[in-house]
Every structure is written in structure tokens, then in C-alpha cells.
Amino acid sequence: MTAGGIITALIIGLIIGALGRLVVPGRQNIPIWLTLVIGVVAALLGSAIARAGGFAETNGWIDWRELLLQIALAAVGVALTVSMWGRRRRVSRY
């Protein structure tokens, strides 16, 4: 992967994280940087799953199946992180 490909993957990952956060209903009490990290991880994981499943290659500009998979993974990641982050923040120190 070239440097341009890595930068593109990071930018797409940031967008995927934001879209994943929008899909999850309710308020998410997690920092935006964590949402963006989840998006990058979801984008990379979604691309790996798409390649393993054989639908990563497309003749068009965007592979919608891969994109939807990445958004779904980001939404699941955001939902799981919100549930864990909320528990961590509510722990009493007394």
C-alpha cells in the first residue's frame, strides 16, 4: 500500500466513524477522537472482510457492499464503546 493509499484509508476511516456514530440512536458520551479511531479500525476491518469474502474489487468507483459493511462495523463499535465507556465513567471512587 502506498502512502497515498494509507492517507486515503485514514480519511475514509474518519468519515466511516462519523457515519457509524450517526447510525447509533441516542446520545453517545464518548470523545470524538475515540469515534474517529473506531471508524479507522472499522474501515480497515471491513476492507479485510470484503477481500476475504471476494467482493472488495469493483469496476465502479465505490463498492457499496464494502462501504455498508464498514459503516455497520463502525456502528457496532460505537455502540459497544458507548456501553463500556459509560460504565467506566460511572464507577464510584468511594
Side-chain angles (χ1 to χ4, degrees):
M1 186 176 257
T2 64
I6 293 171
I7 292 170
T8 302
L10 289 174
I11 292 170
I12 290 173
L14 299 177
I15 295 168
I16 294 292
L19 290 173
R21 188 171 180 146
L22 288 174
V23 171
V24 176
R27 184 174 174 173
Q28 296 87 29
N29 290 323
I30 59 173
I32 191 67
W33 65 265
L34 189 54
T35 302
L36 300 177
V37 168
I38 292 167
V40 171
V41 171
L44 295 173
L45 186 60
S47 293
I49 292 171
R51 286 180 198 212
F55 61 91
E57 299 299 322
T58 181
N59 292 333
W61 188 63
I62 296 176
D63 186 357
W64 294 104
R65 295 174 295 179
E66 183 178 358
L67 181 64
L68 290 174
L69 175 64
Q70 291 169 334
I71 293 171
L73 289 171
V76 169
V78 167
L80 289 173
T81 304
V82 165
S83 68
M84 289 187 290
W85 190 271
R87 278 191 227 143
R88 185 183 76 112
R89 305 280 282 175
R90 288 186 215 145
V91 174
S92 176
R93 296 177 192 238
Y94 299 104

